[in-house]
Amino acid sequence: MANDGSDGGFARIGNNEITVLVNDAEKGSDIDPQEAQQTLEVAEANLSKAEGKRQTIEANLALRRARTRVEALNMIS
């Protein structure tokens, strides 16, 4: 397992699949919509600039987390 560095979680990579295990959770009502959208845009840009396997994996993890936060907001609004 490798620490993804974002939220105290870990990622396990095998058989072309990433499993993310996290130690915390966030209420949708606590997410700032503007910050979540900005984080998603930064994560998308970072993925497009990623070089090498490690950076790509870390950028994908950050993008998944950012996308999930925005999707959670869309579900509660």
Side-chain angles (χ1 to χ4, degrees):
M1 286 193 174
N3 189 334
D4 77 359
S6 64
D7 57 11
F10 293 88
R12 182 180 314 174
I13 303 161
N15 299 326
N16 293 322
E17 185 175 89
I18 298 175
T19 302
V20 180
L21 308 169
V22 294
N23 295 326
D24 66 345
E26 188 174 14
K27 286 184 179 180
S29 59
D30 291 342
I31 299 172
D32 177 330
Q34 196 169 11
E35 181 271 333
Q37 184 62 42
Q38 184 177 15
T39 300
L40 177 59
E41 291 168 9
V42 169
E44 288 170 338
N46 286 342
L47 179 58
S48 70
K49 301 187 291 194
E51 296 179 7
K53 190 171 186 174
R54 181 180 175 97
Q55 280 188 4
T56 301
I57 290 169
E58 290 175 351
N60 266 311
L61 290 172
L63 179 60
R64 288 176 127 185
R65 183 172 191 268
R67 188 176 291 140
T68 299
R69 292 175 80 230
V70 170
E71 288 172 358
L73 286 171
N74 291 335
M75 291 179 71
I76 62 172
S77 59

